[in-house]
Amino acid sequence: MHLEIAYKWVWLLLPLPLLVFALLPPLRRRRTALIAPFFQRAAEVSGEKPRKAAWITRKSIWMYMVLIGCWICLLAAASSPRYVSKPGKRPKTVRSFLIAADISFSMAQTDWVVNGKRMTRWEAVKSLMKEFIAQRKSDQMALVVFGSNAYIQAPLTTDLPMINWLLDQTEVGMAGQMTNIGDAIAYSVKILKQDTLKQKVMLLITDGVDTGTDLLPQDAASMAGKDSIAIYTLGIGKASGSGGYDLDEHTLKTIARTTGGRYFNALDEKGLSGVYKALDQLTPVEYQEDNYEPVTLLYYYPLAAGVILALIFQFIAGSYHLTRKWLPYA
């Protein structure tokens, strides 16, 4: 940020009052006068020669200083001083990012600890996913939840706070008890295909094994791959049969490999945070240079200073003249 004077040529007008004072004649006004019958006699006795003259109002040095100060303040305001900031960077919307989250009953297991607090798997995913969503400033995002069926919770939008709000309203069991991964992928692909952005990414989050009967996850992944949709899969917990988890890592790895994505596994809060950081590196936020330079106008400061200076002088001068007029010993 730097201070800049927009119209420097205005200061060439600084000597203008001196030119006006020097070139223009004094203002002449008629005033009433008392002519005494002995006027000529008084002139002869005094030796003074009668002559016509203009009435010139004398100004004090203080008045000249105030006038000069007001003129400088007026020029300072007219020159338009301002603070000019450097052009910033703004996020550039470059991809469609869809999150397909598993909210089947298995996500209600209270076997996660986040910030020292025990919570369900879904609550843990939500709490850390909010930070991830808030950072995706160059993406338009959508949220699909699935269980027995898949449903759209939030359409593609750049309103990230709205995505987080809708995420808060999502609870386990809203989409059914089962884990239909194939249907969730196919439904998400349908949403992404309708968008015009070329770069399309899906993040599939689940802790279970596909229980759908209509479409295999691998077949749905092949459909996504043909439409250039990269699927990153996130497995919550351990592999099937370990510690109460029923995670099918093989299927999730196959889905990621088929679409050119990557598989991640999160066993705890630290691991889940690391997954989101890795996703930020794989799909970084992009910015574009903003040619607009933010400007903060400052002209009202010198303008206000000139007005205040004039008002203070008028108040003091008025008070002084009133005192001399009404107090006989002033």
Side-chain angles (χ1 to χ4, degrees):
M1 179 179 290
H2 63 278
L3 182 64
E4 180 181 281
I5 304 298
Y7 310 114
K8 298 182 179 65
W9 59 266
V10 169
W11 290 102
L12 296 176
L13 301 176
L14 187 61
L16 182 61
L18 296 176
L19 295 177
V20 172
F21 183 80
L23 298 178
L24 293 183
L27 176 65
R28 298 178 180 273
R29 294 185 297 176
R30 291 184 178 274
R31 299 180 65 89
T32 58
L34 178 63
I35 301 177
F38 49 83
F39 178 76
Q40 292 297 334
R41 178 61 180 163
E44 292 175 1
V45 172
S46 64
E48 296 290 339
K49 183 179 180 181
R51 59 189 177 86
K52 294 181 179 181
W55 179 277
I56 301 176
T57 303
R58 297 187 179 276
K59 297 180 175 61
S60 68
I61 184 64
W62 297 107
M63 182 175 291
Y64 280 114
M65 291 178 64
V66 170
L67 289 175
I68 293 172
C70 291
W71 178 245
I72 292 174
C73 290
L74 185 61
L75 291 180
S79 66
S80 187
R82 54 191 182 176
Y83 274 122
V84 181
S85 302
K86 293 182 179 180
K89 293 183 178 181
R90 57 181 176 179
K92 179 182 179 182
T93 304
V94 295
R95 71 177 66 84
S96 297
F97 198 114
L98 185 146
I99 298 175
D102 180 3
I103 57 170
S104 61
F105 278 7
S106 59
M107 293 291 285
Q109 296 290 329
T110 56
D111 49 7
W112 274 61
V113 177
V114 177
N115 295 326
K117 180 182 178 182
R118 180 169 290 277
M119 57 181 62
T120 66
R121 299 172 187 174
W122 176 237
E123 288 173 341
V125 169
K126 280 200 300 184
S127 64
L128 297 175
M129 193 190 301
K130 289 179 185 178
E131 299 177 12
F132 172 73
I133 291 175
Q135 300 299 321
R136 307 304 305 171
K137 299 182 184 300
S138 67
D139 298 341
Q140 58 173 358
M141 301 195 73
L143 177 63
V144 169
V145 294
F146 67 94
S148 301
N149 296 288
Y151 302 94
I152 185 168
Q153 184 74 340
L156 284 167
T157 178
T158 56
D159 188 354
L160 303 183
M162 188 270 288
I163 296 287
N164 271 331
W165 182 82
L166 289 172
L167 185 65
D168 271 333
Q169 311 309 308
T170 306
E171 299 296 339
V172 170
M174 290 174 59
Q177 304 180 23
M178 311 303 288
T179 307
N180 196 337
I181 297 177
D183 184 52
I185 296 175
Y187 185 69
S188 300
V189 168
K190 181 179 178 182
I191 294 172
L192 290 173
K193 284 179 65 176
Q194 296 174 354
D195 188 64
T196 57
L197 293 179
K198 293 182 178 181
Q199 190 175 354
K200 300 172 183 179
V201 177
M202 184 192 311
L203 173 61
L204 177 69
I205 304 174
T206 184
D207 69 337
V209 175
D210 177 60
T211 56
T213 57
D214 297 331
L215 181 65
L216 291 176
Q218 293 87 340
D219 294 336
S222 297
M223 294 168 50
K226 292 178 181 178
D227 291 314
S228 301
I229 299 173
I231 302 179
Y232 294 88
T233 54
L234 172 55
I236 302 298
K238 301 178 182 179
S240 179
S242 304
Y245 288 92
D246 195 23
L247 181 63
D248 186 358
E249 286 192 312
H250 175 73
T251 297
L252 295 180
K253 290 178 180 179
T254 301
I255 293 171
R257 184 169 56 251
T258 301
T259 60
R262 181 176 167 183
Y263 169 71
F264 299 95
N265 179 249
L267 299 174
D268 50 26
E269 175 190 0
K270 183 178 180 181
L272 190 54
S273 298
V275 169
Y276 290 140
K277 290 179 181 179
L279 281 170
D280 278 332
Q281 295 175 356
L282 291 171
T283 57
V285 176
E286 295 187 21
Y287 294 89
Q288 61 183 3
E289 284 286 345
D290 195 345
N291 293 326
Y292 171 73
E293 293 182 338
V295 174
T296 304
L297 297 178
L298 304 175
Y299 69 89
Y300 42 85
Y301 287 110
L303 187 61
V307 172
I308 293 173
L309 180 62
L311 291 176
I312 291 175
F313 178 79
Q314 289 296 323
F315 176 77
I316 295 175
S319 300
Y320 174 74
H321 285 301
L322 284 174
T323 302
R324 289 183 59 84
K325 181 177 179 181
W326 296 110
L327 296 181
Y329 299 104

